[in-house]
Amino acid sequence: GVVETRTLRTVKRDTVITSIPTFDFEGMIRNGYFKLDSLPQALKEISFDVKAEGPTEKIKDIKFRIDNLNLLAMDNFVKGHFAVNNLTTYDVDARIEANIDFENIKEFIPFDEAILRGNFVIDGTVKGSYEPKRKRFPVLNTEIKLNNGYVQLKRLPELPIEDIQIHTIIKS
């Protein structure tokens, strides 16, 4: 459809999506593996289930979810799930758990802009709806830690940031 916005001197026309075809999509990956030839290590045990659904012709009724998310690279891991039940109130249900050693990240991801070290841990959940006009926000319960962090940018090798310690707890 076309939407018109009028001011005193101009009329602005914009095309908007008025409807979409209904759809239902499901897929999964199990025991996935990804390795670049130029790097010594791989991302492995990649697995997740994905489901996307448009039960009506309204874009705001789309539902999307990723379940059983798992990823392993050396001793690093990411686990979790994520779901959005509509695009009106953005009902969200998510969980993430990760433990990443920044020093060995360059073994499986091409990254040479900086030298990184430290252990990054996140354990968090988000649940609820996001409706800023009604001042409704999801409940957030997350703990983030970075121990013994170190960053040295290749562009500024003389200015490393050392001994970074972060422990943040976010609750709402």
Side-chain angles (χ1 to χ4, degrees):
V2 177
V3 173
E4 287 187 357
T5 306
R6 296 178 181 267
T7 63
L8 287 173
R9 295 188 178 120
T10 62
V11 175
K12 184 178 177 184
R13 290 183 180 86
D14 196 7
T15 303
V16 295
I17 298 172
T18 57
S19 68
I20 61 170
T22 60
F23 66 91
D24 190 2
F25 170 82
E26 291 186 45
M28 72 170 126
I29 291 182
R30 293 282 180 265
N31 298 317
Y33 181 88
F34 179 80
K35 182 181 180 309
L36 295 172
D37 287 339
S38 61
L39 298 175
Q41 296 293 327
L43 300 172
K44 44 190 166 176
E45 295 184 31
I46 302 167
S47 64
F48 60 87
D49 302 322
V50 64
K51 181 169 176 58
E53 180 182 4
T56 70
E57 68 280 348
K58 296 178 183 173
I59 199 165
K60 300 229 178 222
D61 292 337
I62 289 176
K63 299 176 184 181
F64 178 80
R65 66 183 307 113
I66 295 176
D67 290 311
N68 305 314
L69 173 65
N70 288 292
L71 171 69
L72 182 65
M74 299 174 69
D75 290 333
N76 304 286
F77 69 86
V78 177
K79 299 177 182 180
H81 70 268
F82 176 78
V84 175
N85 291 323
N86 66 63
L87 301 179
T88 304
T89 60
Y90 297 96
D91 293 327
V92 65
D93 180 11
R95 168 119 173 86
I96 187 164
E97 182 182 353
N99 190 334
I100 300 168
D101 182 354
F102 285 148
E103 189 163 10
N104 63 29
I105 208 167
K106 63 185 175 292
E107 301 286 320
F108 50 88
I109 294 176
F111 183 77
D112 62 356
E113 295 298 315
I115 297 170
L116 300 176
R117 287 193 285 254
N119 190 43
F120 177 75
V121 178
I122 186 168
D123 186 3
T125 59
V126 178
K127 190 168 181 77
S129 62
Y130 175 66
E131 300 174 78
K133 290 180 181 175
R134 295 179 61 197
K135 297 183 181 178
R136 294 185 69 188
F137 299 92
V139 174
L140 184 65
N141 188 2
T142 302
E143 184 173 9
I144 301 169
K145 292 181 186 178
L146 175 61
N147 294 318
N148 303 317
Y150 176 91
V151 177
Q152 183 180 24
L153 301 174
K154 287 219 173 171
R155 293 182 182 183
L156 297 167
E158 65 279 356
L159 294 173
I161 303 171
E162 302 174 298
D163 197 26
I164 304 167
Q165 307 294 332
I166 298 171
H167 185 189
T168 303
I169 297 172
I170 305 167
K171 291 188 178 198
S172 65

